[in-house]
Amino acid sequence: MTINAEEKPSNKAAVEGRCDCGEVSVTIPDLPADMNACPCDFCSRFGALWGYFPHGSAVVAGDTTPYRRASRMIEFHRCVRCGVVTHWIDPDGHLPHMGVNMRNFDSDVIGAVPVVVEP
Ligand SMILES: [Zn+2]
Ligand SMILES: [Zn+2]
């Protein structure tokens, strides 16, 4: 694949990420200010880097399966085919934001985004 440097996403353009098999795409309106390498028992199992966005502002296409942890109100979604975790949402709408696993985006695109570690 050839990438035209002028078409590379900037932090002002919508950016798309995909799971491993390509079934699920996640389009974010903008790059996040930082990405959270959440150290909790769940996220550390798969090394998520969460970018947080206003609820509904990241557009997810493709089939996902939700997993609602007993200790949390949020649903983690993973691709039905490859099992890669793509995002989480709060289905009850208590939280103003949603989380997108930035690991599914091109490393060139997210490379400049700082990583924080916040439980
Ligand atoms: Zn997949
Ligand atoms: Zn976590």
Side-chain angles (χ1 to χ4, degrees):
M1 195 200 304
T2 311
I3 295 175
N4 181 339
E6 290 179 357
E7 291 177 357
K8 263 193 169 180
S10 74
N11 61 358
K12 296 294 179 194
V15 187
E16 185 186 85
R18 284 186 176 273
C19 64
D20 189 61
C21 75
E23 162 74 21
V24 181
S25 68
V26 182
T27 304
I28 55 176
D30 211 337
L31 287 175
D34 52 38
M35 302 182 291
N36 185 20
C38 180
C40 82
D41 288 348
F42 184 64
C43 301
S44 59
R45 291 174 191 247
F46 53 93
L49 280 177
W50 297 115
Y52 302 120
F53 300 91
H55 188 80
S57 67
V59 178
V60 181
D63 278 344
T64 59
T65 303
Y67 169 59
R68 195 159 178 163
R69 293 190 81 207
S71 59
R72 298 236 181 177
M73 299 304 291
I74 62 181
E75 276 181 356
F76 293 90
H77 284 251
R78 64 184 187 277
C79 171
V80 294
R81 247 170 99 193
C82 68
V84 164
V85 175
T86 51
H87 66 291
W88 63 254
I89 57 168
D90 169 15
D92 300 323
H94 297 303
L95 295 174
H97 56 276
M98 61 188 287
V100 171
N101 187 2
M102 300 304 296
R103 292 280 192 201
N104 294 314
F105 291 73
D106 196 321
S107 55
D108 287 347
V109 172
I110 64 169
V113 181
V115 174
V116 296
V117 180
E118 291 170 1

